[in-house]
Amino acid sequence: MGRRTLVSRAVVPAPGQRRAPPAQAGGLLPWLRRNFFRSPLNALATLLSLAAIAAALPRLARWAVTDAVWSSPDAEACKQAAGACWAVVPEKYRVMLFGTFPYDEQWRGMLAVAVILGLALYCALARPSARAVAASWLAAMAAVFVLMLGGVLGLEPVGTHAWGGLPLTLIMFVGTVAGGVPLGVVLALGRRSSMPAIRAVCVGFIEVVRGLPLVTVLFMASLMLPLFMPEGMSIDKFLRAQIAMTLFFAAYAAEVVRGGLQAIGKGQYEAADTVGLSYRQKMAYVILPQVGRIVLPSMMNEIIRAFKNTTFIGIIGMFDVLRATSTAIQDPVWVRYSIEAYLFIALLYFVMCYGMSRHSARIEDELTVRR
Amino acid sequence: METAMQNANPEPIVVLDQVNKWYGDFHVLRDVSLSVGRGEKIVVCGPSGSGKSTSIRCINRLEEHQEGRIVVDGTEVDADVRRIEAVRRKVGMVFQNFNLFPHLTVLDNLTLGPVRAQGVRRDEAQARAIELLKRVRIPEQALKFPGQLSGGQQQRVAIARALMLQPQVMLFDEPTSALDPEMIHEVLDVMTELAQAGMTMICVTHEMSFARKVADLVVFMDAGEIVEAAPPEEFFSAPKSERTRLFLSQVLH
């Protein structure tokens, strides 16, 4: 050692202050260069995109705004116009949003929608405790059912067969998630149970349901289930669809929860054991709260999908928003303007799904900050 | 440190009698027999895979043993869930990786067990928690989350959490192995204080200075069996077995 000349060197800096990082060039031009013209390929992509937008945007704007007709009770003006016929929305919105619900009672559906969306917004913004959320949803849904079914408080009775449109979609969605998430948790825990019988039942259920298309499950619920029921006994069609949707969602929710459970280390279980918690306490206070944080994004993904999946109930003859809309535009006067009606419904779905997705992203941010 | 010697016939609080355990065909514990007297401190050392962690994890049934008996304060540890729960109430445990609950504050980490499992009133549990956090010298961290603390602080919280149940015995499973060197001492200091306060302790550790200072009995394990057990002065100055000598030459620089 030491015979060779040492090549490696380290230099101790001269004593001095710690400095702020060098400033990045500000202003619009440097920003454009950084984000849109970083390399020749990047610049080419920017220019091509601009060209495509420039080609499409004016025509789209002409169709959707400049040449569009916003109101025309008999669609006469639409026939003359080159643009979109948005008039179909104000003319047909009652059928689109409330389906076959009795016309004079549709304020009840409106109120039900207001209650559900209002509470959803309140929960998303004010963030009450989990207990308060559960209690208020239970109360709100009870109120919604009273409102929709009627028969009490001087409200005219309306059977579930007459429900339709947005109230039906929202009730079906809330019921699916409220029933499906807890059931999914139970299935996921059952799948990891040490008791073989419980494990087999849970695995069997999850795999069978996941192996079937939702349409099949709905058809089975609406057509086959009545065949197995005893004579004279029948379950309401709405309820059958609700159960089918909930079970279908639960199978997917269970797999999401299972993923979360697998991410929790053995040490957390052991620590919970050593501080004396029972199985239930361990799950309720240690494991599931952590699983909830982990699975939040993928669970929200499933929830948004469940919302869009409510459109499938149209196939078994229920009038959700989409089916109600396609019925509304059967009217020969308006049948040519189905695109406009569907675009309106698409906007409705987008606003709600985007709202859910933003909410989920916000919670995620908060949880990462805390870690 | 001589109390154990003076105590003529101390009644053991933890007894492992001819304990055997297999993972599949692999014999991980072979005839492990160990008695621990009340208030005595045992340090278990040995190369990795020697079965030392497995041995102490059998004491509170985080692992099952297949043969032999384990008795903690008169209660046999077997498949009976209620007896397991009874034993776990008497035995506190500190893990290598702390295993704090990351979604709960330090205070809630401490109070969760007493409040939920034992029905202690929340304010009472919190008072006890603050008391213990003072004892491990981090009361000011009570409202932080574990992720905001250093490793040494987390391990001290873990010790406080284990003490919340007022255990008769404390098990330490390599409590300093996951720590950066500069944090090992703050944890060992807390453990030493605990030992001086009279707690019965079984520590799996490679900290031989701690063993020398605190242990009443040093147990050396290798390949799933106890190779040698002696008071520290004897263990370090005159190890009997060749395997012990080899191990000591590797850990004492």
Side-chain angles (χ1 to χ4, degrees):
Chain A
M1 299 288 166
R3 265 155 283 152
R4 274 178 46 210
T5 333
L6 189 62
V7 176
S8 309
R9 267 181 218 300
V11 177
V12 179
Q17 294 287 311
R18 292 192 181 268
R19 295 179 294 130
Q24 202 174 35
L28 182 62
L29 271 174
W31 179 82
L32 278 177
R33 195 170 306 133
R34 267 201 310 280
N35 292 292
F36 292 98
F37 299 95
R38 189 183 283 269
S39 69
L41 192 65
N42 186 205
L44 186 68
T46 301
L47 292 176
L48 281 178
S49 311
L50 278 177
I53 292 170
L57 200 59
R59 298 175 62 181
L60 186 66
R62 259 203 312 280
W63 179 80
V65 184
T66 336
D67 295 346
V69 177
W70 298 89
S71 120
S72 160
D74 51 6
E76 277 312 310
C78 289
K79 286 182 191 153
Q80 319 301 327
C85 181
W86 300 120
V88 66
V89 175
E91 287 308 315
K92 287 290 174 194
Y93 81 94
R94 295 281 291 251
V95 186
M96 285 157 71
L97 293 185
F98 302 108
T100 49
F101 207 78
Y103 194 84
D104 289 332
E105 303 292 325
Q106 286 180 2
W107 61 271
R108 284 156 57 179
M110 186 66 131
L111 202 55
V113 169
V115 167
I116 293 174
L117 293 184
L119 184 56
L121 268 180
Y122 172 76
C123 288
L125 298 177
R127 308 285 287 282
S129 71
R131 197 165 297 189
V133 169
S136 55
W137 274 103
L138 219 59
M141 290 317 283
V144 163
F145 270 89
V146 168
L147 206 54
M148 292 293 288
L149 281 171
V152 287
L153 306 169
L155 294 171
E156 193 188 312
V158 179
T160 54
H161 60 89
W163 290 12
L166 200 50
L168 176 64
T169 294
L170 288 178
I171 291 170
M172 191 62 87
F173 170 59
V174 172
T176 302
V177 174
V181 172
L183 184 57
V185 170
V186 170
L187 285 168
L189 293 177
R191 191 170 186 157
R192 291 163 61 96
S193 167
S194 54
M195 283 174 265
I198 293 181
R199 202 166 53 229
V201 168
C202 293
V203 171
F205 175 83
I206 293 169
E207 293 305 332
V208 166
V209 172
R210 285 206 310 160
L212 295 172
L214 176 55
V215 182
T216 322
V217 177
L218 281 169
F219 269 123
M220 269 166 32
S222 86
L223 301 176
M224 283 173 62
L225 205 59
L227 300 180
F228 302 126
M229 301 298 277
E231 195 76 33
M233 188 182 155
S234 74
I235 309 181
D236 185 85
K237 185 176 183 180
F238 165 81
L239 197 59
R240 272 181 280 151
Q242 179 75 79
I243 291 170
M245 295 287 289
T246 306
L247 294 180
F248 187 80
F249 177 70
Y252 284 86
E255 286 301 281
V256 169
V257 173
R258 181 167 77 113
L261 283 170
Q262 279 169 345
I264 306 287
K266 192 172 78 159
Q268 290 291 309
Y269 291 87
E270 292 179 348
D273 284 339
T274 57
V275 300
L277 299 180
S278 68
Y279 174 81
R280 274 185 189 203
Q281 291 168 332
K282 176 166 64 177
M283 287 300 156
Y285 302 117
V286 177
I287 306 301
L288 290 178
Q290 296 186 59
V291 169
R293 275 147 218 242
I294 296 170
V295 305
L296 181 79
S298 36
M299 187 62 91
M300 211 56 195
N301 198 26
E302 291 298 333
I303 288 175
I304 291 172
R305 188 191 314 212
F307 182 64
K308 294 182 290 185
N309 275 351
T310 54
T311 53
F312 278 103
I313 62 175
I315 291 170
I316 54 167
M318 300 180 77
F319 289 87
D320 76 297
V321 176
L322 189 64
R323 176 93 194 281
T325 302
S326 59
T327 311
I329 52 170
Q330 303 278 297
D331 183 341
V333 179
W334 296 101
V335 72
R336 292 172 55 196
Y337 309 111
S338 55
I339 290 182
E340 287 86 339
Y342 283 132
L343 278 175
F344 171 70
I345 293 304
L347 181 69
L348 200 69
Y349 272 96
F350 176 75
V351 167
M352 290 197 236
C353 293
Y354 187 68
M356 285 190 265
S357 136
R358 288 311 309 157
H359 177 56
S360 142
R362 237 185 62 192
I363 302 181
E364 251 177 83
D365 282 350
E366 284 168 28
L367 293 179
T368 22
V369 168
R370 220 208 269 153
R371 277 270 154 140
Chain B
M1 300 310 121
E2 297 296 310
T3 46
M5 304 288 110
Q6 293 151 7
N7 218 337
N9 183 18
E11 182 196 335
I13 183 164
V14 176
V15 176
L16 286 78
D17 182 20
Q18 303 270 304
V19 170
N20 280 278
K21 178 174 174 62
W22 290 262
Y23 285 132
D25 289 336
F26 183 56
H27 201 167
V28 278
L29 295 182
R30 196 180 76 83
D31 288 341
V32 173
S33 295
L34 171 71
S35 302
V36 180
R38 264 172 223 280
E40 293 182 354
K41 291 85 180 121
I42 311 299
V43 164
V44 184
C45 60
S48 73
S50 59
K52 50 197 194 307
S53 285
T54 309
S55 303
I56 70 163
R57 288 162 58 85
C58 284
I59 294 172
N60 62 353
R61 196 72 174 184
L62 291 182
E63 305 271 357
E64 285 176 34
H65 58 284
Q66 283 121 323
E67 277 178 15
R69 291 179 76 222
I70 298 177
V71 180
V72 177
D73 197 20
T75 308
E76 169 143 18
V77 182
D78 54 20
D80 185 283
V81 177
R82 295 176 62 185
R83 279 199 288 272
I84 294 173
E85 281 175 4
V87 166
R88 284 178 179 164
R89 275 196 293 277
K90 293 176 192 167
V91 178
M93 185 160 200
V94 175
F95 300 89
Q96 180 175 357
N97 295 311
F98 330 136
N99 292 343
L100 295 177
F101 307 130
H103 61 300
L104 298 178
T105 61
V106 165
L107 192 61
D108 289 342
N109 261 279
L110 266 62
T111 56
L112 181 67
V115 169
R116 298 296 175 183
Q118 298 186 317
V120 176
R121 287 225 326 270
R122 186 174 291 276
D123 51 351
E124 206 177 296
Q126 284 180 345
R128 200 195 295 169
I130 297 291
E131 216 35 60
L132 284 170
L133 286 174
K134 280 183 191 151
R135 203 162 143 195
V136 300
R137 292 190 284 275
I138 35 174
E140 71 284 359
Q141 312 286 2
L143 297 179
K144 289 198 183 160
F145 286 90
Q148 297 168 307
L149 306 185
S150 73
Q153 290 172 325
Q154 290 193 46
Q155 193 60 298
R156 285 185 281 152
V157 171
I159 293 173
R161 179 177 70 180
L163 292 172
M164 280 298 283
L165 296 170
Q166 297 168 324
Q168 314 256 337
V169 182
M170 284 284 282
L171 306 177
F172 291 85
D173 188 2
E174 304 203 27
T176 57
S177 299
L179 294 176
D180 289 332
E182 75 269 24
M183 294 172 183
I184 290 176
H185 276 285
E186 62 191 54
V187 171
L188 290 180
D189 287 350
V190 166
M191 289 170 63
T192 307
E193 281 174 27
L194 194 60
Q196 282 159 357
M199 177 62 76
T200 309
M201 294 163 63
I202 306 177
C203 313
V204 171
T205 182
H206 296 297
E207 296 297 331
M208 290 301 122
S209 60
F210 175 79
R212 230 188 268 270
K213 194 160 67 169
V214 173
D216 295 308
L217 184 71
V218 180
V219 175
F220 174 66
M221 289 186 72
D222 189 17
E225 52 192 30
I226 293 177
V227 175
E228 187 159 352
E233 51 276 22
E234 196 181 320
F235 180 83
F236 289 109
S237 58
K240 292 192 190 70
S241 134
E242 184 53 41
R243 282 193 277 179
T244 314
R245 276 195 288 274
L246 179 65
F247 175 75
L248 284 176
S249 75
Q250 281 158 348
V251 293
L252 302 172
H253 318 287

